[in-house]
Amino acid sequence: MARKPSGKIQKEKEIMTKKKRYCYTFEEGDGTNKKLLGGKGAGLCSMTQIGLPVPPGFVISTEANVDYLEHDTFPEGLMDEVHEYMEDLEKKTGKGFGNPEKPLLISVRSGSALSMPGMMDTILNLGLNDETVKGMIALTKNERFVYDAYRRFLQLFGKIGLGVKDEGFDEIFEEIKKKYHATVDTELSAEAMKEVCERFKEYIKKETGKPFPQDVWAQLYIAIQGVFKSWMGKRAVDYRRQFNITPDMAHGTAVNICTMVFGNMGKDSATGVGFTRDPGTGENVLYGDYLINAQGEDVVAGIRTPRPLRELKTDMPEIYKELVKMRSILEKHYREVQDFEFTIEQGKLYMLQTRNGKMNAWALCKTSVDMVKEGLITEEEALLRIDPDMLEQFLHRRIDPDFKQEPLAVGISASPGAATGKVVFDADRAEQLGNQGEKIILTRVETKPEDIHGFFAAQGILTSRGGKTSHAAVVARGMGKPCVSGAEGLDINYELKEARVGSVVIKEGDIITIDGTAGVVYLGAVPMLDPDLPKDLKTLMEWADKYAKIQVWANADTPEMAQKAREHGAMGIGLCRTERMFNEADRLPLMRNMILADTPEERKHWANKLLPMQRQDFVEIFRAMDGLPVTIRLLDPPLHEFLPTIEELISDVNRLREFSQIMHALEQLPGTVAMLDPELSKQIPSIESMIREFAEYRAKGLDKKLLKQKEKVLRRVRVLHEINPMLGNRGVRCGISYPEIYDMQIQAIFEATAIALREKIDARPEIMVPNVCTVQELVWVKPRVENIHKEVEKRYNVKIAYKFGTMIEIARACLRAGRIATVAEFFSFGTNDLTQGTFSFSREDAENKFLPIYNTEKILLHNPFEILDELGVGRLMQIAVTEGRETRPDLKIGICGEHGGQPQAIEFCHRIGLNYVSCSPMRIPIARMAAAHAAIKEKKGVAPVARAL
Ligand code: PEP
Ligand code: MG
């Protein structure tokens, strides 16, 4: 396998042969080109170029990986290039690859354009074999250290390069630790480490049928291949799917080849990870963990619990000073909080990686505001740092501060928020139970990247080892899930599926609560509170509103929701679903009666009973939204939503009939029994008294009346029954069929406005008609609105301003928008129904019937009820906007389907010129942020990402 380096200079070769180039030294790579060099590679190049101490190395581009995966072989010329770059590395370090006297050891690390922590593979200490080990011992005079490095390499190489099972290595290592009575690896002697190496080699041979490759070039070849393949490894693929990482965002991994430096060369060596600011609070302080005499993987994997970086100030004051200096160099260069890895080798500091720090929403907000104040970034940049969806983390619950109870265990506050769930000790089981809808706390000694599916399924993560930068902490923080790490009082036994804390035993399935903000664990469920929005968010929201063009309104059906919407900064109500006001127990029967009425008079009777309730709710909503528009939609949903099902009614009717028969039989009973068995008849008096009570009830005819009522309802429900209620007599169709309902609602709206105006509330109603497909429907409704308006104005002696508009949620309405705008003063896209109609997918069934398979088969990449289908539904919207505004240039247009709170859809709505989006009150901050992003990105000329479904 050993091939001699060609010795040609790469650039010359490139010019001469015009062959594709795959390798870049850290000095020459373009640090801004993450797509080509991966985030890690780009970071190493940038750090080298801004003068930070990075060990020499080079990057194999992502293009090489893509080519490799396509053809299942290295691209032509790649290995020649690698040889040349290795030769260059040998020159820079003065060492030789495979040279037994002065061995060059390298790390082979993965790294794609987007950070996917721990999802792909990395091999350290490559270049060690039985010969170079001797050279290393001679050079370092530290046999233990060298064998430690060798065993680490054998394990990683065996696992990643040769596909040998990791557990086998762990078992051997544990066996040897036991043999030498060592509790931690640092207690193993050189001899013991040597023994580990021998055993590891035997294990590799046993598992692969071949000896471990001593040829360093063969090692390199296999290692590059292993890293390349890890792009398609299960956990990497799962991760990309979960976070919607598409090929246009990250395509393939780069391979970073870097000279090894060692943090495990004694007490003057260390390894650590740092953040330029605290990623939990956003505080402007150097933050991180380190371990003396250890390699990077020890910190990240959480195998040993590291020490906080501030203690380095006393351990190694000079290095600490250097790190503080680097912190500001990094932030000035990147204008972003950095998350970096470093190693101290015998008193010398090396930077091994930097990337934008993943922070929780709290820290993101604080650092954004602080960095603007410090003059490091602009307001617009501060806003763009915040992924709108991240603000959802503020929605996480926290433990009621009044709750006082001794925690079961104390650990590290690794990711904020609190969660209650059943303890589950492995990721597969967590996934299984999570899919069944169970709430889970994934509880592990430490987590590894292969546990990622368990994270997705869990409400929170609990580990007994590891610090704030352990795998569990980093991943949970990124996902916005609560995590307590390093709860060392927890003694977890996977075999018995239990954890012990002193005398308390927690079994799988027991309920616990974790508080990731405080770093504590409680037994059982504890009271929780909804969180408040942090102070910095207010500033950011003010900035967001300053830049946003599209407004954010709320979908709010009740006064309480309106209040919440206003608190969150809604500029109006874009959808008040009037039917939702009748969901409460005391209102539903009235609503049912109105729907079930046989005659207009009867319907009017029930409608009049509903009127005062509806009117009062409107007054309260107007009060909450004083001075802002309130769009009230006339009754829309298919009526069956309010009615009992035919099956329920049949069973009720049958039960009532049986009851009548039983009563009849009971009445005969005393006489019959007296004749047949005089003894038994002594017991009859109790039955007789029961019969007397029922007889009274029957005498009044109540049983028959009830039966009749039920039978009537059943008949009516049968009449109203529709095969396809979603496409049936709903919305304006129902309003036209039963005008008393709309009349009542219109009257309630105007009367509420009049009452509010009298109270000096600036009420601004906008009446919206749902499910319109032709302008003629509006032409039918409008005069009724005008008449009632006139009547109420006269009766209350007030002037009432209002708007009359329509939902656009039927495909035909989009195509006839020009005509519809002759009557409608505003449009609001109901993209829930519009999506249903455009795809002919039932919005009630598609998501749990065929859509999942459409997604896995990649027929559709997303659920169109969640992600707006810009190409289809969006196209219809665009037609409606253009043609509607041709008729009425000042036509106000919004969206109130679920997509109105979804950032990409908001960007699309901004682009096609909508005036507002309307979403649920809790999503308002997200929508405001997304609205600002849309405007800023447009200004900066950032091309929108095409949303293929
Ligand atoms: C819609 O269809 O998008 C809409 C907002 O109305 P609903 O969901 O109430 O049908
Ligand atoms: Mg609708």
Side-chain angles (χ1 to χ4, degrees):
M1 189 56 62
R3 286 194 276 174
K4 275 198 116 202
S6 74
K8 266 194 207 163
I9 298 170
Q10 178 60 35
K11 274 183 192 145
E12 271 178 22
K13 188 178 130 193
E14 215 183 307
I15 295 162
M16 285 170 66
T17 62
K18 294 235 174 359
K19 267 206 182 136
K20 200 160 190 165
R21 174 184 184 181
Y22 295 111
C23 298
Y24 300 83
T25 64
F26 294 165
E27 287 80 2
E28 56 190 13
D30 173 4
T32 61
N33 196 348
K34 288 190 188 176
K35 274 202 170 161
L36 183 71
L37 303 177
K40 193 175 287 160
L44 287 163
C45 292
S46 284
M47 285 199 296
T48 305
Q49 291 160 32
I50 58 173
L52 298 188
V54 177
F58 63 97
V59 191
I60 304 174
S61 73
T62 54
E63 287 176 353
N65 181 209
V66 173
D67 194 303
Y68 172 85
L69 292 171
E70 255 170 42
H71 301 101
D72 203 22
T73 179
F74 286 138
E76 202 192 325
L78 172 66
M79 288 320 280
D80 288 341
E81 247 187 275
V82 168
H83 276 265
E84 287 158 17
Y85 277 75
M86 285 299 291
E87 199 176 62
D88 179 53
L89 207 54
E90 288 180 318
K91 275 196 203 120
K92 281 182 182 147
T93 56
K95 296 174 180 172
F97 192 45
N99 180 335
E101 268 93 56
K102 273 184 155 189
L104 168 65
L105 303 188
I106 53 172
S107 61
V108 180
R109 291 172 183 267
S110 56
S112 76
L114 284 184
S115 161
M116 295 166 54
M119 291 302 118
M120 291 169 305
D121 291 328
T122 279
I123 296 176
L124 304 174
N125 304 331
L126 191 138
L128 280 175
N129 58 23
D130 292 351
E131 292 307 310
T132 53
V133 155
K134 288 181 204 149
M136 281 295 288
I137 294 171
L139 277 176
T140 60
K141 314 253 176 312
N142 189 341
E143 195 179 1
R144 192 202 167 279
F145 153 72
V146 176
Y147 280 112
D148 187 26
Y150 197 17
R151 65 97 189 170
R152 289 171 193 268
F153 169 53
L154 286 165
Q155 177 160 1
L156 275 175
F157 184 81
K159 176 182 160 189
I160 295 154
L162 305 172
V164 176
K165 273 202 196 113
D166 210 17
E167 293 80 44
F169 290 108
D170 290 341
E171 275 164 26
I172 295 171
F173 195 56
E174 284 308 312
E175 249 176 59
I176 293 182
K177 265 165 70 181
K178 236 184 224 151
K179 179 174 161 189
Y180 293 103
H181 309 291
T183 43
V184 289
D185 53 356
T186 43
E187 288 167 14
L188 285 180
S189 68
E191 267 314 299
M193 282 295 183
K194 197 171 168 183
E195 197 177 325
V196 174
C197 294
E198 288 311 313
R199 292 279 306 276
F200 277 8
K201 279 188 280 179
E202 280 163 27
Y203 173 57
I204 289 174
K205 191 168 174 197
K206 192 175 125 234
E207 291 293 306
T208 62
K210 286 188 216 142
F212 158 74
Q214 295 285 337
D215 178 346
V216 292
W217 289 101
Q219 291 175 1
L220 183 55
Y221 187 93
I222 293 169
I224 295 173
Q225 222 168 19
V227 174
F228 274 173
K229 281 185 184 152
S230 67
W231 178 254
M232 291 311 292
K234 181 179 178 332
R235 60 179 197 267
V237 172
D238 282 352
Y239 189 93
R240 291 200 292 276
R241 189 180 309 119
Q242 178 72 19
F243 291 103
N244 290 326
I245 299 177
T246 53
D248 57 306
M249 295 154 92
H251 200 27
T253 178
V255 180
N256 302 288
I257 300 201
C258 187
T259 314
M260 280 300 301
V261 285
F262 296 95
N264 54 345
M265 283 190 89
K267 292 222 159 50
D268 57 352
S269 301
T271 187
V273 290
F275 281 84
T276 53
R277 299 182 193 220
D278 185 330
T281 64
E283 219 187 319
N284 190 2
V285 290
L286 181 61
Y287 175 93
D289 297 318
Y290 72 104
L291 272 174
I292 298 266
N293 199 10
Q295 271 200 336
E297 70 200 57
D298 299 335
V299 182
V300 178
I303 288 165
R304 275 160 56 190
T305 304
R307 297 163 59 184
L309 207 45
R310 73 187 116 79
E311 290 181 15
L312 193 70
K313 212 177 191 167
T314 30
D315 274 349
M316 300 181 186
E318 287 309 312
I319 298 272
Y320 185 79
K321 251 193 239 158
E322 223 181 311
L323 270 177
V324 171
K325 216 164 83 200
M326 284 182 193
R327 172 172 98 100
S328 62
I329 297 177
L330 278 173
E331 279 203 352
K332 275 212 183 84
H333 177 77
Y334 284 103
R335 305 166 76 233
E336 182 53 273
V337 174
Q338 294 297 293
D339 161 3
F340 56 91
E341 282 181 27
F342 62 93
T343 282
I344 302 158
E345 184 185 84
Q346 297 185 316
K348 177 155 174 37
L349 175 66
Y350 292 98
M351 300 295 274
L352 298 183
Q353 179 181 320
T354 189
R355 61 184 175 203
N356 290 347
K358 283 201 176 183
M359 283 170 278
N360 63 35
W362 282 267
L364 251 183
C365 288
K366 175 158 173 54
T367 52
S368 284
V369 173
D370 285 356
M371 281 160 51
V372 170
K373 285 185 192 151
E374 290 160 26
L376 207 57
I377 56 174
T378 63
E379 285 175 5
E380 295 181 4
E381 285 167 331
L383 292 168
L384 286 184
R385 289 176 83 227
I386 296 167
D387 172 3
D389 274 325
M390 247 207 144
L391 301 181
E392 189 125 69
Q393 289 185 33
F394 296 127
L395 308 180
H396 285 311
R397 297 182 307 158
R398 66 198 164 104
I399 290 180
D400 184 339
D402 291 338
F403 171 75
K404 300 266 178 287
Q405 189 181 298
E406 271 303 299
L408 173 72
V410 178
I412 291 166
S413 51
S415 180
T420 298
K422 288 185 172 167
V423 172
V424 172
F425 295 105
D426 79 86
D428 291 344
R429 181 103 178 107
E431 186 181 43
Q432 187 193 5
L433 292 176
N435 288 343
Q436 290 167 17
E438 296 275 10
K439 303 229 179 308
I440 302 299
I441 303 293
L442 178 64
T443 306
R444 306 274 304 159
V445 175
E446 74 220 30
T447 62
K448 290 193 176 184
E450 44 264 44
D451 296 324
I452 191 78
H453 55 300
F455 278 68
F456 296 142
Q459 263 57 48
I461 321 295
L462 169 63
T463 69
S464 58
R465 272 199 218 143
K468 283 198 189 189
T469 43
S470 65
H471 175 264
V474 172
V475 176
R477 255 201 316 270
M479 288 185 181
K481 296 199 174 186
C483 175
V484 174
S485 67
E488 292 184 352
L490 210 63
D491 182 9
I492 297 174
N493 185 325
Y494 291 140
E495 294 248 299
L496 298 177
K497 291 195 177 164
E498 64 174 40
R500 283 175 182 270
V501 188
S503 58
V504 182
V505 182
I506 305 156
K507 293 263 177 212
E508 182 180 281
D510 287 354
I511 304 273
I512 59 165
T513 298
I514 60 165
D515 180 353
T517 314
V520 293
V521 185
Y522 298 99
L523 207 53
V526 306
M528 301 223 188
L529 292 184
D530 290 336
D532 313 322
L533 300 180
K535 147 177 146 288
D536 287 314
L537 184 68
K538 226 172 141 201
T539 313
L540 285 166
M541 286 290 118
E542 281 162 19
W543 293 345
D545 293 347
K546 195 159 83 184
Y547 295 99
K549 298 240 167 65
I550 193 165
Q551 289 189 352
V552 177
W553 295 18
N555 290 356
D557 312 323
T558 60
E560 297 74 32
M561 285 172 85
Q563 191 58 43
K564 184 125 245 124
R566 186 127 212 200
E567 280 163 23
H568 285 182
M571 301 290 285
I573 286 182
L575 174 62
C576 173
R577 289 175 163 107
T578 45
E579 59 275 4
R580 299 246 176 112
M581 295 173 155
F582 298 114
N583 281 341
E584 281 161 41
D586 57 332
R587 298 180 174 196
L588 194 58
L590 299 177
M591 182 74 177
R592 272 192 179 166
N593 288 337
M594 180 174 78
I595 294 167
L596 289 167
D598 275 329
T599 61
E601 292 70 34
E602 204 188 324
R603 202 159 20 251
K604 202 163 174 165
H605 166 81
W606 293 112
N608 281 340
K609 288 206 179 300
L610 287 169
L611 186 130
M613 298 174 185
Q614 192 133 75
R615 185 177 54 210
Q616 189 53 33
D617 280 353
F618 289 146
V619 172
E620 295 309 322
I621 291 174
F622 288 141
R623 197 189 311 281
M625 301 307 287
D626 191 0
L628 296 175
V630 176
T631 313
I632 299 170
R633 183 177 74 181
L634 300 179
L635 191 81
D636 172 49
L639 298 179
H640 77 291
E641 283 186 13
F642 290 96
L643 299 178
T645 63
I646 290 181
E647 293 76 28
E648 270 167 25
L649 286 166
I650 289 177
S651 117
D652 284 353
V653 165
N654 285 342
R655 230 174 289 127
L656 284 169
R657 282 191 186 135
E658 275 164 25
F659 176 68
S660 256
Q661 285 161 7
I662 291 168
M663 282 308 303
H664 182 74
L666 271 179
E667 279 165 13
Q668 313 299 319
L669 190 67
T672 317
V673 174
M675 251 169 52
L676 294 175
D677 185 348
E679 241 341 270
L680 188 65
S681 76
K682 285 184 195 149
Q683 290 174 27
I684 293 296
S686 60
I687 298 179
E688 277 176 342
S689 79
M690 192 171 83
I691 291 169
R692 260 197 304 281
E693 276 174 36
F694 280 124
E696 227 172 280
Y697 172 75
R698 276 158 62 82
K700 286 188 192 152
L702 291 178
D703 58 336
K704 291 215 178 78
K705 198 172 157 200
L706 191 61
L707 181 63
K708 256 200 186 143
Q709 261 175 14
K710 282 279 172 196
E711 284 171 340
K712 184 180 160 200
V713 173
L714 177 60
R715 273 198 306 278
R716 191 73 188 135
V717 168
R718 280 197 165 121
V719 170
L720 292 175
H721 176 73
E722 294 172 308
I723 303 291
N724 243 328
M726 269 294 185
L727 305 179
N729 198 8
R730 62 177 290 211
V732 68
R733 304 188 278 269
C734 176
I736 292 170
S737 311
Y738 308 119
E740 304 76 24
I741 302 179
Y742 274 16
D743 285 353
M744 176 277 283
Q745 292 197 301
I746 296 161
Q747 191 179 334
I749 295 169
F750 286 133
E751 287 184 0
T753 312
I755 294 167
L757 290 172
R758 269 190 192 161
E759 288 182 33
K760 303 268 177 288
I761 295 164
D762 181 5
R764 301 184 181 190
E766 309 208 341
I767 296 178
M768 180 157 76
V769 185
N771 264 283
V772 164
C773 64
T774 162
V775 71
Q776 293 309 326
E777 290 165 325
L778 292 179
V779 168
W780 193 95
V781 177
K782 195 167 180 209
R784 300 186 89 90
V785 173
E786 285 169 342
N787 287 341
I788 297 170
H789 174 249
K790 229 182 266 157
E791 188 275 322
V792 174
E793 270 195 335
K794 200 164 153 209
R795 188 152 39 91
Y796 281 79
N797 192 25
V798 281
K799 274 258 149 282
I800 298 173
Y802 73 99
K803 280 195 163 54
F804 180 72
T806 180
M807 297 275 293
I808 298 285
E809 51 185 344
I810 290 179
R812 190 178 189 280
C814 293
L815 302 173
R816 299 294 297 151
R819 280 286 288 153
I820 290 174
T822 57
V823 181
E825 292 168 285
F826 65 88
F827 285 175
S828 179
F829 287 108
T831 44
N832 304 335
D833 277 309
L834 193 54
T835 301
Q836 168 171 263
T838 306
F839 281 83
S840 273
F841 286 175
S842 158
R843 57 188 270 194
E844 290 177 313
D845 296 320
E847 281 161 293
N848 48 26
K849 292 284 191 308
F850 56 85
L851 263 181
I853 187 157
Y854 263 49
N855 294 152
T856 46
E857 290 299 314
K858 301 212 167 24
I859 293 167
L860 292 175
L861 293 180
H862 302 287
N863 168 2
F865 293 104
E866 204 176 290
I867 305 280
L868 182 70
D869 164 39
E870 292 176 18
L871 303 178
V873 176
R875 180 132 186 255
L876 285 169
M877 290 169 72
Q878 230 156 345
I879 292 170
V881 171
T882 309
E883 298 189 3
R885 289 216 175 113
E886 267 165 22
T887 302
R888 193 187 282 268
D890 63 345
L891 184 72
K892 189 169 66 167
I893 309 179
I895 175 177
C896 62
E898 287 313 297
H899 307 90
Q902 203 264 331
Q904 288 122 21
I906 294 171
E907 191 180 333
F908 175 77
C909 292
H910 164 94
R911 271 200 326 268
I912 66 169
L914 299 203
N915 302 88
Y916 68 87
V917 295
S918 189
C919 60
S920 78
M922 293 309 272
R923 285 198 76 81
I924 286 171
I926 297 169
R928 286 165 77 189
M929 185 60 79
H933 278 210
I936 297 168
K937 282 187 193 162
E938 186 182 58
K939 195 169 129 195
K940 286 186 183 279
V942 179
V945 181
R947 300 282 158 209
L949 281 179

